[in-house]
């Protein structure tokens, strides 16, 4: 599943928007080209309803075996604690640059 997600994530932002998702489904055999089916699948995977599918939403929904899960059900399937916030389902923040190493003074 991770490989499928990353193949669809054409801009490498760790989120799938509708265009990326639709393009990914179009590349399957047989392709899923009916736009209403694509919208149904997309909305069923978009657990928090922000018009983007993140890896936790994608993987958690497949672990549970059916679409239109609650955020809490996906978190539970992934072994997350119930007190996790909605932000934890969002894409991770960009990495921060490392500080320069300390300079030695003599």
């Amino acid at each position: 599943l991770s490989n499928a997600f990353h193949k669809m994530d054409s801009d490498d932002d760790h989120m799938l928007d509708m265009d990326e998702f639709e393009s990914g489904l179009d590349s399957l055999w047989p392709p899923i080209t009916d736009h209403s089916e694509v919208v149904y699948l997309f909305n069923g995977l978009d657990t928090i309803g922000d018009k983007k599918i993140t890896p936790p939403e994608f993987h958690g929904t497949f672990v549970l075996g059916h679409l239109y899960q609650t955020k809490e059900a996906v978190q539970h399937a992934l072994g997350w604690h119930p007190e996790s916030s909605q932000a934890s389902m969002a894409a991770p923040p960009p990495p921060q640059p490392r500080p320069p190493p300390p300079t030695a003074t003599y």
Side-chain angles (χ1 to χ4, degrees), residues 6 9 17 19-20 24 34 43 50 52 69 91:
H6 292 293
D9 185 18
D17 61 26
D19 292 335
E20 289 172 314
D34 181 328
N43 290 336
D50 61 353
K52 297 188 186 306
Q69 295 293 329

Side-chain angles (χ1 to χ4, degrees), residues 32-90:
I32 299 174
T33 57
D34 181 328
H35 187 70
S36 64
E37 289 180 18
V38 173
V39 170
Y40 176 79
L41 292 171
F42 184 89
N43 290 336
L45 290 165
D46 181 18
T47 304
I48 59 175
D50 61 353
K51 304 297 182 209
K52 297 188 186 306
I53 301 169
T54 60
E57 291 173 305
F58 189 82
H59 295 111
T61 300
F62 281 104
V63 166
L64 290 165
H66 52 92
L67 300 170
Y68 292 93
Q69 295 293 329
T70 64
K71 174 185 72 169
E72 293 78 16
V74 169
Q75 289 174 334
H76 180 70
L78 295 173
W80 295 0
H81 299 290
E83 62 273 6
S84 295
S85 68
Q86 179 172 333
S88 67
M89 295 289 288

